[in-house]
Amino acid sequence: MDLSIIVPSFNEDESLPELVAWIGRVMSQTQWTYEIVIVDDGSRDNTMNVIEKLQGTDSHVKAISFRRNYGKSAALNVGFAAAEGNVVITMDADLQDSPDEIPELMDMILNQGYDMVSGWKKVRHDPLNKTLPSKLFNAVTRKISGIHLHDFNCGLKAYKRDVVKSIEVYGEMHRYIPLLAKEAGFVKIGEKVVTHYERKFGVSKFGIERTIKGFLDLLSVTFMTKFGKRPMHLFGALGTLMFFIGFIASIWLGAKKIWFVYHSLSAPLITSSPYFYLALTCMILGTQLFLTGFIAELVTRNAPERNTYQIARKLGFKE
């Protein structure tokens, strides 16, 4: 199959018929074989009934339905696992992403050699309470990741098949897929200015809590990509440093005590010095950090699969 279009959906039953029809019009002008994989993320509206009707009239439509809401990252991860296309494109279900961008995105992957292309909503039709946090988030992510994209969180992206089969998306990590791809060895990451439309149906799922979670996940993904497979390199190094500082301070306090005794001077008790407690604290923290790294190594090497979700139904897939 040439193309898989992954559409995460949560309470977007009004948008889906128009989106599927729009994709169909675009794809009818090409010779590509394709599938539309709609991942229903535990919607509480009429989404699955709408998908059933769409699947009955369009064989390209497939669906995976979660029993409850897990989030966009879970929907993408499951969609990536199910995708059969050589190129995978993701887009939101709310009609704010344009399927008209598909041919150019395909060209950038197939003919221009990109591993991944991220959309850039240069002109956005969103309120300030959504665009301003997004600008701050993107600036911080660019600085930390070293990937020069303007819009990490744009839902419209294109990937080579190998990329989506090589990464794991969980938590709120869908925002950092370019970073995950880079750390997996896919370094040719491009960007394309895409058209952004105003929301036509429903309400935005954006909230301040998503911004907070996004920054926390940025710290998490930075740690995981650098030390996820070798946590001892971080905790062990910090622990060794802290223990060394405490140990040297203890030696200095002991040597100072001996010097006073040797010169028959009245020496204060070691325990009366604040440096004694600082040294002791450093040694204890160092030991704890070292043990944390050791335990993290054991957990990392024996962790079960974390991306397990309850799926209620599947439509259109071969058993």
Side-chain angles (χ1 to χ4, degrees), residues 2-303:
D2 297 315
L3 173 64
S4 293
I5 302 169
I6 310 298
V7 183
S9 176
F10 178 60
N11 293 341
E12 299 286 358
D13 57 353
E14 294 177 296
S15 302
L16 287 174
E18 189 170 332
L19 178 62
V20 169
W22 193 352
I23 293 172
R25 290 195 299 272
V26 173
M27 297 305 296
S28 67
Q29 301 172 27
T30 73
Q31 300 298 316
W32 297 319
T33 55
Y34 72 99
E35 62 180 356
I36 305 171
V37 181
I38 303 172
V39 184
D40 173 26
D41 186 21
S43 296
R44 295 184 291 271
D45 60 4
N46 202 35
T47 291
M48 275 311 295
N49 289 333
V50 170
I51 294 174
E52 284 182 353
K53 292 178 182 179
L54 292 172
Q55 206 267 334
T57 58
D58 188 342
S59 61
H60 298 102
V61 175
K62 300 178 180 179
I64 300 171
S65 176
F66 289 160
R67 292 189 186 278
R68 67 172 181 85
N69 178 250
Y70 287 101
K72 189 174 182 179
S73 291
L76 287 175
N77 196 71
V78 169
F80 287 161
E84 299 178 7
N86 292 322
V87 175
V88 176
I89 289 178
T90 61
M91 64 175 55
D92 293 337
D94 56 12
L95 297 174
Q96 292 191 276
D97 295 332
S98 171
D100 291 331
E101 309 284 356
I102 290 175
E104 289 188 47
L105 291 171
M106 286 282 287
D107 179 70
M108 294 179 75
I109 297 293
L110 295 175
N111 301 320
Q112 299 181 37
Y114 286 99
D115 296 316
M116 172 186 172
V117 179
S118 180
W120 173 19
K121 295 172 286 190
K122 193 172 183 178
V123 178
R124 293 188 62 169
H125 300 282
D126 286 321
L128 284 177
N129 66 342
K130 187 173 181 179
T131 56
L132 289 181
S134 179
K135 287 182 181 295
L136 176 60
F137 161 79
N138 284 306
V140 173
T141 306
R142 273 196 302 274
K143 184 69 174 178
I144 293 178
S145 68
I147 302 174
H148 299 289
L149 296 177
H150 291 86
D151 193 355
F152 283 82
N153 199 30
C154 180
L156 187 56
K157 290 182 172 69
Y159 314 82
K160 284 183 178 176
R161 175 187 174 89
D162 288 347
V163 176
V164 303
K165 300 299 183 182
S166 302
I167 61 176
E168 180 187 23
V169 191
Y170 59 94
E172 295 286 330
M173 296 301 181
H174 61 275
R175 308 164 187 270
Y176 308 109
I177 290 179
L179 178 54
L180 297 175
K182 178 185 175 183
E183 293 299 327
F186 300 98
V187 296
K188 191 164 185 184
I189 299 173
E191 185 173 60
K192 181 186 182 300
V193 176
V194 297
T195 303
H196 184 238
Y197 292 91
E198 293 185 20
R199 173 176 279 276
K200 189 173 181 180
F201 302 105
V203 295
S204 174
K205 314 312 187 286
F206 180 84
I208 188 63
E209 71 280 357
R210 290 183 60 184
T211 301
I212 296 172
K213 291 177 181 177
F215 281 109
L216 293 176
D217 278 328
L218 177 57
L219 297 177
S220 178
V221 75
T222 301
F223 169 79
M224 290 303 296
T225 52
K226 292 182 180 297
F227 302 106
K229 301 296 184 183
R230 44 191 176 90
M232 186 56 123
H233 288 199
L234 174 64
F235 293 108
L238 289 174
T240 302
L241 177 63
M242 293 291 289
F243 187 89
F244 181 75
I245 292 172
F247 184 69
I248 294 299
S250 298
I251 291 177
W252 176 75
L253 288 171
K256 184 179 178 182
K257 177 71 173 179
I258 293 172
W259 187 87
F260 272 93
V261 172
Y262 179 77
H263 290 86
S264 301
L265 299 174
S266 178
L269 292 173
I270 291 179
T271 54
S272 66
S273 171
Y275 295 109
F276 169 78
Y277 296 101
L278 289 175
L280 186 62
T281 300
C282 284
M283 294 178 71
I284 293 173
L285 285 176
T287 302
Q288 289 179 331
L289 284 169
F290 190 89
L291 290 175
T292 298
F294 180 72
I295 294 171
E297 284 282 337
L298 294 177
V299 172
T300 299
R301 294 175 187 273
N302 297 281

